[in-house]
Amino acid sequence: MVITKIYQPDQVDQAADELKKGELIAFPTETVYGLGADATNEQAVKRVYLAKGRPSDNPLIVTVSSVKMVEKYAIEISPAAHKLIKHFWPGPLTLIFKIKPESLPKAVTGGLKTAAFRMPANTVTRKLIELAGVPIVGPSANSSGKPSPTTAAHVFHDLEGRIAGIVDDGSTKVGVESTIIDLSTKVPTVLRPGAVTAEELENFLQEPVISDHHQVGAQEVPKAPGMKYKHYAPDAQVLMVKEALWPAALQWAAEQSEKIGVMAPTTVIKTGLPANCLPYDLGETIQTASHRLFAGLRNFDDQQKVNWILTAAYPETGLGTAYMNRLRKSSGNVFFTKNNPGN
């Protein structure tokens, strides 16, 4: 069994040395913690799939420390792409480009002629990549399908003994993964919503941007993570609760003979919950709710074991689109209803 070491930010050079040896290192970003391996080392990348239990046809994001790294692999970076890079990088935006033939291993691309690139805002991770001298793959550092990790402790819980180390830079700030926009198509297409919204991208580019949130078919290779397989799901059944249905949802919870997890806005928590309800405060805004979503789901997965989690639904606009994208997947798209709770 591998001993998983915790590296502090001032020990990032040691973590980079491990990456150079083909080892796996989890790293912090402003969104969630990622699981890094040398993106040019196919055997190291394959070990990422094994460590996570991730399907091998699910492509990986290539995490970089400079635009120069992207230029080494991308066939062309269009004027629109350069504009996005200048404004949004480093930050929570991932860009998909057509890449030079065989410039990256099939284990990274899923066999596609494209790859997704991101430059995170976290300076520690950019230093890690710079010291390693190569781009690194960066899927979320969790067991595949489970809620994404927003602290080093979450990573350690899922991957202890399976990876060489974790660079601990505290809790992440955004809490949901980056927006992914496909620039290999005629019309820019958002394949995964995040903190950078489709409306924001459209206004910035001054051209149409498609929002494509579909799940791909069984025989189709996804161009981005999160489009094919179950994601973000705790062991418990999550029930999404619309604002107007909180009284009915809490009444239903009170009638149960077991503990019920409640992830709700501060206003709901303050109204007082039934004695058998375990509260997790999502704060007062969609920003705090998005930041706390995965940590809350993990709380009821790892610490306070329950079979049901009532979780606040939000309007699907702005950041709410990204929040609900993750929540719909973690719940299997199940809403609480008065007549048929859990259906």
Side-chain angles (χ1 to χ4, degrees), residues 103-124:
S103 60
L104 286 169
K106 185 178 179 180
V108 175
T109 65
L112 297 172
K113 296 178 181 179
T114 58
F117 296 87
R118 171 158 122 81
M119 187 194 298
N122 187 284
T123 56
V124 173

Side-chain angles (χ1 to χ4, degrees), residues 180-239:
I180 299 178
I181 184 168
D182 188 356
L183 297 177
S184 70
T185 54
K186 188 173 182 180
V187 180
T189 303
V190 172
L191 300 182
R192 182 177 73 186
V196 180
T197 66
E199 296 87 352
E200 189 176 357
L201 291 167
E202 195 166 65
N203 290 335
F204 181 77
L205 291 172
Q206 291 295 293
E207 63 174 294
V209 171
I210 297 171
S211 294
D212 180 10
H213 302 157
H214 80 287
Q215 292 287 105
V216 302
Q219 304 305 314
E220 189 179 352
V221 178
K223 291 183 81 172
M227 296 182 69
K228 187 172 184 178
Y229 299 98
K230 188 177 181 182
H231 271 64
Y232 321 121
D235 292 334
Q237 174 61 55
V238 176
L239 300 180

Side-chain angles (χ1 to χ4, degrees), residues 55-126:
S56 60
D57 67 343
N58 208 1
L60 301 173
I61 289 173
V62 180
T63 311
V64 300
S65 60
S66 68
V67 178
K68 195 171 184 179
M69 273 190 176
V70 181
E71 291 172 340
K72 185 175 180 180
Y73 305 99
I75 290 176
E76 179 188 11
I77 300 179
S78 67
H82 274 295
K83 189 177 177 182
L84 288 172
I85 287 169
K86 186 175 181 180
H87 185 75
F88 291 103
W89 277 14
L93 181 66
T94 295
L95 309 176
I96 293 179
F97 297 111
K98 291 179 182 177
I99 58 171
K100 298 168 187 175
E102 300 181 1
S103 60
L104 286 169
K106 185 178 179 180
V108 175
T109 65
L112 297 172
K113 296 178 181 179
T114 58
F117 296 87
R118 171 158 122 81
M119 187 194 298
N122 187 284
T123 56
V124 173
T125 286
R126 294 206 307 278

Side-chain angles (χ1 to χ4, degrees), residues 157-173:
H157 177 275
D158 280 18
L159 301 181
E160 180 195 4
R162 293 191 239 170
I163 64 176
I166 304 165
V167 178
D168 186 355
D169 193 33
S171 177
T172 64
K173 294 177 173 60

